[in-house]
Amino acid sequence: MTELATPAPNPHPSPGNPGPHPAPSRPSLVLPPGATDAHCHVFGPASRFPYAPGRTFTPVDVPYSRVQSTQRALGFERAVIVQSSGYGTDHRALLDALRSDPASLRGVALLGPGVDPAELDAAGVCGARLHFLDHLGGAPDPTRIRTSLDTIAEMGWHAEIHVQGLGIVEHAPMIAAIRSRVVIDHMARVDLHDGVDGPAVRALSRLLDRGNIWVKLSGADRVSLSGPPYHDAAALAALLVDRFPERVLWGTDFPHVNITGPAPDDGLLVDLLTEMAPTESLRHRLLVTNPTDLFGF
């Protein structure tokens, strides 16, 4: 992999990017063999993998070695690394991580001009993400959406959709029309002020009924109105597990960028799985069976 001739120094992180919890607790819950963290990111070191010049935020360096050590301490054996908008379409940090453990890692890319899908696919990328959030640059234009979805279909990947609030309602027709498998990030980041029977949850449920759409029960700290230990977000996740046990995934969201306040305790997040998926069989499906089927482990 080619590196820049003159690496850029790590710039000061942006507000809302405090870095991961300095000492996450050891979870009480023992995860099943093959447990998969279906949503995490890698950042840096910026001296080797500089961040995109047009990024909307600057993270703290959290290279894959730290991501992996945290996952192992929590009980995860496999992971899906999602390309961050902080890197734009420069996938060098992602590819470097994927090539370190091809059997246990998969990736999700950001598509755009100059990106070679075949190179990404060979390294273990199995999906591409589309952001519809203002703080990450806003929704792609319709031409880019169509081009990305065409590439995803040609590669046999899944489309990963990142929306917030009533975004799942606004974009439901587009999502329903996608030919490929689809994954909705972070419980669609619904607004729990509307409760678990509000319009966003109803729209999400209708999409999950289609059979080719999954949802990540990650980002409990982003969805919760009550704060740690995030029981309100766990109640939403439990509802989705109960209704759609074959369409749910879970991820740490480590190292937690673009957040309000300090990073959550990752051990607490793992223990919250006992509320989200209260039986061993449900947790096995959530953490092992579903990600094995979807991501091709």
Side-chain angles (χ1 to χ4, degrees), residues 179-190:
R179 294 177 288 156
S180 310
R181 293 165 297 174
V182 179
V183 176
I184 308 296
D185 281 345
H186 304 327
M187 295 183 273
R189 298 181 68 161
V190 302

Side-chain angles (χ1 to χ4, degrees), residues 185-239:
D185 281 345
H186 304 327
M187 295 183 273
R189 298 181 68 161
V190 302
D191 186 349
L192 283 179
H193 284 102
D194 295 327
V196 296
D197 58 352
V201 176
R202 293 198 300 271
L204 175 60
S205 296
R206 286 193 295 270
L207 288 169
L208 294 174
D209 266 331
R210 298 182 64 84
N212 69 318
I213 299 176
W214 285 255
V215 62
K216 291 182 182 178
L217 309 181
S218 50
D221 57 300
R222 300 180 186 274
V223 174
S224 175
L225 300 177
S226 61
Y230 317 117
H231 291 307
D232 53 347
L236 170 60
L239 179 150

Side-chain angles (χ1 to χ4, degrees), residues 125-197:
V125 167
C126 62
R129 197 181 198 197
L130 293 168
H131 292 290
F132 294 85
L133 276 65
D134 289 342
H135 72 269
L136 295 178
D141 64 72
T143 298
R144 183 169 179 180
I145 292 174
R146 287 194 299 271
T147 300
S148 295
L149 292 177
D150 286 345
T151 299
I152 288 166
E154 291 167 6
M155 300 303 299
W157 293 351
H158 71 271
E160 193 147 307
I161 305 297
H162 191 194
V163 293
Q164 185 174 16
L166 290 175
I168 194 70
V169 178
E170 177 185 355
H171 299 291
M174 180 273 295
I175 297 170
I178 295 175
R179 294 177 288 156
S180 310
R181 293 165 297 174
V182 179
V183 176
I184 308 296
D185 281 345
H186 304 327
M187 295 183 273
R189 298 181 68 161
V190 302
D191 186 349
L192 283 179
H193 284 102
D194 295 327
V196 296
D197 58 352

Side-chain angles (χ1 to χ4, degrees), residues 2-293:
T2 303
E3 297 183 16
L4 293 183
T6 306
N10 184 19
H12 193 277
S14 302
N17 295 278
H21 193 286
S25 59
R26 183 171 294 278
S28 300
L29 178 65
V30 176
L31 301 184
T36 302
D37 177 355
H39 194 104
C40 63
H41 305 282
V42 294
F43 295 105
S47 59
R48 185 180 178 197
F49 302 117
Y51 302 117
R55 64 191 180 276
T56 59
F57 69 94
T58 301
V60 172
D61 277 4
V62 184
Y64 176 61
S65 57
R66 183 170 181 187
V67 176
Q68 184 186 48
S69 65
T70 299
Q71 289 167 334
R72 295 295 182 265
L74 296 173
F76 292 99
E77 298 179 1
R78 306 182 304 194
V80 180
I81 304 173
V82 179
Q83 174 78 353
S84 168
S85 64
Y87 276 119
T89 56
D90 180 350
H91 291 86
R92 287 176 297 167
L94 172 64
L95 293 175
D96 185 70
L98 294 178
R99 288 167 179 156
S100 71
D101 191 358
S104 301
L105 298 175
R106 296 291 182 269
V108 175
L110 290 176
L111 295 177
V115 173
D116 181 359
E119 178 190 16
L120 299 176
D121 187 76
V125 167
C126 62
R129 197 181 198 197
L130 293 168
H131 292 290
F132 294 85
L133 276 65
D134 289 342
H135 72 269
L136 295 178
D141 64 72
T143 298
R144 183 169 179 180
I145 292 174
R146 287 194 299 271
T147 300
S148 295
L149 292 177
D150 286 345
T151 299
I152 288 166
E154 291 167 6
M155 300 303 299
W157 293 351
H158 71 271
E160 193 147 307
I161 305 297
H162 191 194
V163 293
Q164 185 174 16
L166 290 175
I168 194 70
V169 178
E170 177 185 355
H171 299 291
M174 180 273 295
I175 297 170
I178 295 175
R179 294 177 288 156
S180 310
R181 293 165 297 174
V182 179
V183 176
I184 308 296
D185 281 345
H186 304 327
M187 295 183 273
R189 298 181 68 161
V190 302
D191 186 349
L192 283 179
H193 284 102
D194 295 327
V196 296
D197 58 352
V201 176
R202 293 198 300 271
L204 175 60
S205 296
R206 286 193 295 270
L207 288 169
L208 294 174
D209 266 331
R210 298 182 64 84
N212 69 318
I213 299 176
W214 285 255
V215 62
K216 291 182 182 178
L217 309 181
S218 50
D221 57 300
R222 300 180 186 274
V223 174
S224 175
L225 300 177
S226 61
Y230 317 117
H231 291 307
D232 53 347
L236 170 60
L239 179 150
L240 295 171
V241 169
D242 181 61
R243 292 181 182 173
F244 309 102
E246 298 178 354
R247 295 285 174 262
V248 289
L249 308 156
W250 192 88
T252 60
D253 195 24
F254 189 83
H256 312 288
V257 294
N258 289 318
I259 59 175
T260 301
D265 177 346
D266 295 282
L268 183 155
L269 294 179
V270 169
D271 278 338
L272 205 60
L273 283 164
T274 60
E275 297 182 32
M276 296 179 172
T279 68
E280 287 187 11
S281 62
L282 285 173
R283 290 192 292 273
H284 191 276
R285 178 166 287 283
L286 176 67
L287 299 171
V288 183
T289 305
N290 292 350
T292 297
D293 293 345

